[in-house]
Amino acid sequence: MTEQANPFLNADLLSLPRPALKALFQAAGEPGFRSEQLFRWLHVRLERDWARMTDLPAGLRTKLQAARTLAVLTPTLERVSALDASQKIVLNTDDGHAIETVIMPMESGHVTQCLSSQVGCKMGCDFCATARLPVRQNLSAGQIVEQVAYACRVGFALGLRRGGVAGGEEGPLSARPHNLVFMGMGEPLDNLQALIDALDILCDPKGFDFSPRRITVSTSGVAKNVAKLAAAHPNVNLAWSLTATTDDVRDRLMPVNRGVPIRKMVDVLLELPQNAHRKITFEYALLKGVNDTEDDARRLASMARELNAHVNAIPFNAWPGADYQRPERVVIQRFVDVARRAGASITLRESKGQDIGAACGQLAGEKPV
Ligand code: SAH
Ligand code: SF4
């Protein structure tokens, strides 16, 4: 077979959900079960070295090697927090851009991993370090999935058994995180197809086998894609970064609000097909003197009640050059108390890894040491 005729040439195999991988194999005249074998190597054994995929015929492996490299991310910087043992990792894409993932041991004893969906972010929120990064580009599904594979390998090497795999399987997936949150760099709903493909792979019982109920996608409010995500993955939880309770303030903080004002996004969420399994949360970064009044707390509570949403209030994480500050502790506490008295289910959350560059996008902007 000439190189031109090789159907695997430059294929991004790591990004393909199982049905798409099967279709590619069938188009290449390979039996369907070979694609199932490869999917298992990639998304259960988390193998990235063709030479070790010993049950694939040598001729097929030679053809597959014409596909894009499987080493889609390279770790360049790792920091572990002395405060809460969270681990922040900078990974470089093969074209040299840095993204971040954070592995966070939670008070519950479970591990939550925070994932990036893009290099940088074009949504331009004024308080967010990621918005200031000069490069903005989508990650592939494979690059999203690979962040999870990385966390599994790290956990497995440390002998951790975090989740366990269906069927009692031993291997790197036995060390997979308990929860995944798309709250790292980038706007996941601005990279919808890669997000859906990555969720397909992560939730595939023959792949990572995550329950969608343990996955949360956070959006600033890309309304046009909310229903599309919910149609593809109805049980994946949604977080909306509300962050302000009036359009006036939100317009200034988050440019997305100028196209999709608060009421419009509330309506989009209300119109989603009923689903008792999907949880909706509001993320609310508390900014001193900007969105931290008692009136804000009451308006927030009223919206949370309307949508039956839980609120996570997160005091702003300062980053060098930011124009915002976190409110005083008593103001934060008063805000939470007022919202709670007004009927909100609300949790005050401190970002993990305060000592290692906690703000999203902060560490990727630093030079590797
Ligand atoms: N783009 C998506 C997901 C990534 S941002 C979104 O905006 O929802 C994840 C969360 O981090 C958002 O809720 C955002 O408001 C919050 N955030 C960003 N920078 C922050 C900072 N410096 N301090 C506290 N929260 C921050
Ligand atoms: Fe993008 Fe989210 Fe940061 Fe806004 S808060 S700039 S949407 S990553």
Side-chain angles (χ1 to χ4, degrees), residues 121 123-125 127-128 130-131 184 186-187 220 360:
C121 182
M123 304 310 288
C125 303
F127 55 88
C128 177
T130 302
E187 168 52 58
S220 55
C360 100

Side-chain angles (χ1 to χ4, degrees), residues 121 123 125 127-129 182-188 218-220 239-241 243 254 283-285 314-319 351 359-360:
C121 182
M123 304 310 288
C125 303
F127 55 88
C128 177
F182 284 83
M183 295 186 186
M185 293 167 63
E187 168 52 58
S218 178
T219 181
S220 55
W240 177 29
S241 298
T243 318
M254 305 178 73
E283 306 295 304
Y284 197 95
I314 309 144
F316 176 68
N317 269 298
W319 42 272
S351 289
C360 100

Side-chain angles (χ1 to χ4, degrees), residues 91-164:
L91 299 160
N92 265 22
T93 59
D94 45 16
D95 52 356
H97 301 306
I99 57 154
E100 302 171 346
T101 185
V102 191
I103 302 169
M104 301 174 288
M106 307 304 275
E107 289 69 20
S108 60
H110 289 138
V111 166
T112 295
Q113 183 179 12
C114 180
L115 302 174
S116 292
S117 55
Q118 296 179 315
V119 176
C121 182
K122 68 171 197 264
M123 304 310 288
C125 303
D126 203 31
F127 55 88
C128 177
T130 302
R132 306 284 172 98
L133 298 173
V135 182
R136 284 149 201 185
Q137 89 193 18
N138 284 337
L139 293 184
S140 66
Q143 287 170 325
I144 295 172
V145 164
E146 186 63 8
Q147 295 170 61
V148 185
Y150 183 83
C152 295
R153 285 190 213 106
V154 168
F156 193 60
L158 292 172
L160 302 180
R161 294 288 179 278
R162 291 169 177 151

Side-chain angles (χ1 to χ4, degrees), residues 36-360:
E36 298 281 333
Q37 280 177 303
L38 177 62
F39 193 80
R40 186 178 155 74
W41 278 115
L42 296 180
H43 303 301
V44 175
R45 306 308 300 177
L46 310 185
E47 185 57 66
R48 301 292 180 258
D49 181 352
W50 298 110
R52 295 219 193 99
M53 302 185 192
T54 43
D55 59 0
L56 296 177
L60 173 59
R61 272 188 277 158
T62 307
K63 278 194 265 172
L64 287 170
Q65 279 172 23
R68 278 179 49 171
T69 167
L70 294 176
V72 290
L73 294 173
T74 313
T76 57
L77 178 59
E78 262 187 51
R79 281 193 199 154
V80 180
S81 164
L83 299 174
D84 55 36
S86 62
Q87 192 179 358
K88 193 153 188 171
I89 300 130
V90 178
L91 299 160
N92 265 22
T93 59
D94 45 16
D95 52 356
H97 301 306
I99 57 154
E100 302 171 346
T101 185
V102 191
I103 302 169
M104 301 174 288
M106 307 304 275
E107 289 69 20
S108 60
H110 289 138
V111 166
T112 295
Q113 183 179 12
C114 180
L115 302 174
S116 292
S117 55
Q118 296 179 315
V119 176
C121 182
K122 68 171 197 264
M123 304 310 288
C125 303
D126 203 31
F127 55 88
C128 177
T130 302
R132 306 284 172 98
L133 298 173
V135 182
R136 284 149 201 185
Q137 89 193 18
N138 284 337
L139 293 184
S140 66
Q143 287 170 325
I144 295 172
V145 164
E146 186 63 8
Q147 295 170 61
V148 185
Y150 183 83
C152 295
R153 285 190 213 106
V154 168
F156 193 60
L158 292 172
L160 302 180
R161 294 288 179 278
R162 291 169 177 151
V165 182
E169 181 145 13
E170 274 304 297
L173 281 197
S174 62
R176 72 194 163 163
H178 196 261
N179 297 298
L180 300 176
V181 294
F182 284 83
M183 295 186 186
M185 293 167 63
E187 168 52 58
L189 293 191
D190 185 36
N191 187 12
L192 184 69
Q193 195 53 53
L195 173 72
I196 289 176
D197 289 349
L199 290 171
D200 285 352
I201 295 168
L202 291 169
C203 297
D204 191 324
K206 292 189 173 173
F208 283 76
D209 194 24
F210 274 95
S211 162
R213 298 186 211 180
R214 293 193 183 162
I215 301 180
T216 299
V217 171
S218 178
T219 181
S220 55
V222 181
K224 67 180 195 316
N225 287 340
V226 170
K228 291 182 193 162
L229 172 65
H233 287 279
N235 290 345
V236 164
N237 303 307
L238 287 173
W240 177 29
S241 298
L242 178 58
T243 318
T245 61
T246 63
D247 283 324
D248 187 33
V249 175
R250 200 164 188 272
D251 278 354
R252 277 187 281 130
L253 292 177
M254 305 178 73
V256 68
N257 201 70
R258 296 172 205 158
V260 184
I262 293 172
R263 190 65 231 174
K264 165 94 181 98
M265 185 65 181
V266 169
D267 288 342
V268 165
L269 292 172
L270 282 173
E271 280 158 20
L272 286 177
Q274 287 294 317
N275 180 347
H277 299 309
R278 177 184 45 229
K279 284 184 260 168
I280 294 183
T281 50
F282 292 168
E283 306 295 304
Y284 197 95
L286 278 162
L287 310 168
K288 181 176 182 173
V290 177
N291 63 1
D292 57 355
T293 66
E294 296 190 19
D295 281 345
D296 283 313
R298 281 186 280 268
R299 283 190 292 264
L300 172 63
S302 138
M303 272 186 267
R305 283 203 321 268
E306 186 177 359
L307 279 165
N308 201 12
H310 180 81
V311 181
N312 288 319
I314 309 144
F316 176 68
N317 269 298
W319 42 272
D323 296 327
Y324 299 91
Q325 293 171 318
R326 66 167 48 207
E328 311 293 336
R329 186 137 286 282
V330 335
V331 175
I332 295 174
Q333 199 51 56
R334 190 192 58 205
F335 184 91
V336 171
D337 290 345
V338 170
R340 198 168 279 146
R341 275 203 302 277
S345 156
I346 180 168
T347 310
L348 178 62
R349 294 202 190 276
E350 286 291 346
S351 289
K352 300 278 173 190
Q354 303 267 341
D355 53 336
I356 54 167
C360 100

